[in-house]
Amino acid sequence: MNPKVLKVCQEITKSFIAREINIFFLNPVDPERDDLPDYHKIVTNPMDLTTVEPKLNNSIYNSSSQWYKDMCLIYENAIKYHTENTIWGIIAEQLLDDFKKAASGLQIETMDEWTAALAKQTKKFGEVISNSPIKINSNVLVSGCIKRAEGLRSFPQDLIPELISKLNSL
């Protein structure tokens, strides 16, 4: 992992560890201690902040996208277990959203990841357009955007985080 990117990942991780609400996501879930007897039946890939931090500091992650996925997994597991309608599900959703904003752009390091992210955002963009209260020919608009994107031969890598942020805000 690029040393500058590693430093950013470490800073974000430390900032999340320091947040008081994250005390519940610091350590691995102990189903007995935490009174969650069916936890491992529902959550098959547990993750927590004290597992992520040493993996990051000891260069276990080969890319920032691996770190990003583990950080998201912490909160996604809580949402999966507790559901979105419980207090823990709501807290986990907010923390996941906070993390994604803090780490915007760090989940992408390869062109394949960029292409996948672009496809996902393009789909979301199409959904937003199709739900517009103003009647427009969304197929023409979306097709035009896709055609312009296909015409791009290379994209400056340093602009990717900004573009993703703008697409996410749509």
Side-chain angles (χ1 to χ4, degrees):
M1 186 181 320
N2 173 320
K4 289 180 182 179
V5 172
L6 174 63
K7 183 174 168 99
V8 172
C9 294
Q10 289 171 325
E11 289 172 0
I12 292 170
T13 302
K14 284 181 184 181
S15 74
F16 271 74
I17 288 172
R19 291 176 75 175
E20 288 184 37
I21 193 70
N22 271 313
I23 193 169
F24 302 104
F25 303 99
L26 281 178
N27 299 302
V29 170
D30 179 333
E32 203 170 295
R33 177 196 68 213
D34 300 329
D35 194 29
L36 305 171
D38 59 346
Y39 184 79
H40 290 297
K41 290 178 183 171
I42 296 170
V43 175
T44 56
N45 191 9
M47 188 54 60
D48 61 274
L49 289 164
T50 58
T51 299
V52 169
E53 187 177 38
K55 286 174 74 174
L56 186 59
N57 294 337
N58 295 319
S59 300
I60 304 298
Y61 295 119
N62 294 320
S63 68
S64 60
S65 61
Q66 291 175 335
W67 162 81
Y68 184 92
K69 288 174 187 172
D70 273 358
M71 287 292 289
C72 288
L73 186 60
I74 295 167
Y75 305 111
E76 289 166 350
N77 284 342
I79 294 165
K80 182 178 183 180
Y81 185 81
H82 295 287
T83 74
E84 297 166 6
N85 298 325
T86 66
I87 187 69
W88 294 113
I90 293 168
I91 290 169
E93 280 216 342
Q94 183 60 54
L95 290 169
L96 178 61
D97 186 55
D98 290 351
F99 170 72
K100 285 182 175 182
K101 287 176 184 169
S104 177
L106 291 173
Q107 76 276 25
I108 297 173
E109 281 198 357
T110 67
M111 192 52 95
D112 288 341
E113 290 170 346
W114 162 245
T115 303
L118 181 60
K120 184 177 178 181
Q121 292 302 327
T122 301
K123 181 180 178 187
K124 283 183 183 179
F125 183 61
E127 290 169 0
V128 169
I129 290 171
S130 67
N131 292 324
S132 171
I134 301 168
K135 295 295 179 199
I136 58 173
N137 188 344
S138 61
N139 289 340
V140 171
L141 183 58
V142 171
S143 296
C145 289
I146 291 171
K147 190 172 187 172
R148 288 185 69 199
E150 288 172 344
L152 296 174
R153 294 193 182 230
S154 66
F155 194 84
Q157 296 293 315
D158 59 327
L159 294 179
I160 291 173
E162 180 184 349
L163 180 60
I164 290 173
S165 179
K166 287 179 181 178
L167 288 171
N168 283 332
S169 69
L170 288 175

